[in-house]
Amino acid sequence: MILSTKNCLHLATKLATYTHTGLLGYEVKRFADGEYYYRLQYLKKPKSVILLGNVTPDPASIFELLALAEALADSRIGIQTLCVPYLGYSRQDRQSETGEAVLAHLVAEMLNRIPAKKRVFVDLHSDTVRAMLSPHTEVFCLPLIVPPPLARGFDVVVAPDKGAQARAKRIAGDMPVITMLKHRPKHNIVERAPMSYPVKGKRVLMVDDMIDTGRTIASAAILLKRQGAKSITVAATHGIFSPPSDKILSSAPINKILAGDTLAPHVPPGGRVVSIARLLAEAL
């Protein structure tokens, strides 16, 4: 059976279909003082489950995942697989300034304590984060989001910053890869060096692991269009789309945005959600 946190039910229902299994329910209450209460609901106790849940910026998300893991342990139900499609706080994987908390390490430590036989993550943000996690399987979804027939319609693959370079090379095949330079003077601000890139008259596929506010993608697209790119398509595994991403992306010269459904499906106008459920089911 699959036991899913509330923020992953959109994927859990699809996975249940692909894996031919059911969903394990649970009850959540809050006491007068605000404390949470969790109770598993089943007629016949399963021997083991797949525990599925996203870690989002809301600390309640990881608490819910840990609470469900505790409920399973206290009920003597094993966790065959822990699956975390979206791992929040991954961008806080190192100290940029003195005194910062490396929250990716804290989140990884909490997940590592969950007694699962297998661990599955989707398109992790960095090698640093990969090293923080216990032995695991990582699912790379961009070839599903941009399948080979679609990919053949492009001339060049672009990484909007150095962090996306490995992903771009992995999906490019025989296509050339361009890695753009980016500078962040402060949080949520992106600056581009006035560099020239060989994109004139070319159909560009830009790839990244996630789209948050869209500033990185938009600033890259604006620069490439000014340099003569014929068209720009963007593909990312995790579509966060925090405000004001709709405004930022809709005003950028982007022809199409493709995003996976690790998070609850949402894309800006003209975008398309591609489900990763089938690929994830194979990994489970």
Side-chain angles (χ1 to χ4, degrees), residues 58-240:
D58 184 354
S61 66
I62 194 164
F63 182 84
E64 182 177 19
L65 192 59
L66 294 171
L68 293 180
E70 183 66 23
L72 291 168
D74 292 341
S75 300
R76 297 184 180 179
I77 299 172
I79 302 174
Q80 180 62 38
T81 304
L82 169 65
C83 179
V84 181
Y86 176 72
L87 183 60
Y89 294 93
S90 291
R91 287 172 285 181
Q92 298 190 55
D93 58 357
R94 64 190 183 282
Q95 273 196 339
S96 298
E97 297 182 22
T98 303
E100 288 181 340
V102 183
L103 291 181
H105 189 256
L106 173 65
V107 170
E109 281 191 330
M110 288 189 281
L111 294 178
N112 288 340
R113 294 193 189 106
I114 295 177
K117 293 182 179 179
K118 183 178 180 180
R119 298 164 190 275
V120 176
F121 297 90
V122 178
D123 200 359
L124 292 166
H125 182 65
S126 66
D127 287 337
T128 303
V129 172
R130 292 181 183 97
M132 292 176 180
L133 296 164
S134 292
H136 62 272
T137 297
E138 183 176 357
V139 180
F140 184 63
C141 294
L142 282 176
L144 177 67
I145 296 170
V146 188
L150 179 59
R152 285 193 287 270
F154 300 101
D155 303 307
V156 61
V157 178
V158 169
D161 54 30
K162 289 183 178 180
Q165 186 178 50
R167 293 179 185 86
K169 289 181 176 179
R170 191 168 179 178
I171 200 172
D174 296 331
M175 285 185 288
V177 173
I178 294 172
T179 301
M180 301 181 71
L181 298 181
K182 179 184 77 173
H183 172 61
R184 284 192 185 275
K186 56 183 179 179
H187 296 309
N188 290 325
I189 299 296
V190 176
E191 292 181 351
R192 295 281 176 187
M195 291 188 63
S196 178
Y197 299 100
V199 296
K200 188 174 181 179
K202 294 184 178 180
R203 298 162 296 179
V204 172
L205 171 63
M206 192 185 308
V207 299
D208 211 343
D209 62 325
M210 64 180 75
I211 304 175
D212 189 358
T213 63
R215 289 186 174 92
T216 293
I217 295 296
S219 63
I222 291 169
L223 182 56
L224 295 178
K225 195 66 177 179
R226 286 175 181 167
Q227 296 183 6
K230 182 178 181 180
S231 65
I232 300 171
T233 296
V234 175
T237 302
H238 310 294
I240 304 171

Side-chain angles (χ1 to χ4, degrees), residues 10-11 14 18 144-145 259-262 273-279:
H10 66 285
L11 265 181
K14 297 174 184 177
Y18 282 118
L144 177 67
I145 296 170
D261 61 346
T262 52
V273 175
V274 180
S275 181
I276 68 161
R278 177 179 59 79
L279 193 60

Side-chain angles (χ1 to χ4, degrees), residues 24-79:
L24 182 63
Y26 62 96
E27 177 187 13
V28 183
K29 292 181 180 179
R30 293 194 73 176
F31 295 114
D33 64 353
E35 279 191 6
Y36 283 91
Y37 164 92
Y38 291 85
R39 176 177 173 269
L40 301 177
Q41 296 176 320
Y42 51 81
L43 295 177
K44 182 180 180 181
K45 186 170 78 172
K47 291 183 179 180
S48 63
V49 301
I50 295 168
L51 179 58
L52 178 71
N54 284 325
V55 176
T56 68
D58 184 354
S61 66
I62 194 164
F63 182 84
E64 182 177 19
L65 192 59
L66 294 171
L68 293 180
E70 183 66 23
L72 291 168
D74 292 341
S75 300
R76 297 184 180 179
I77 299 172
I79 302 174

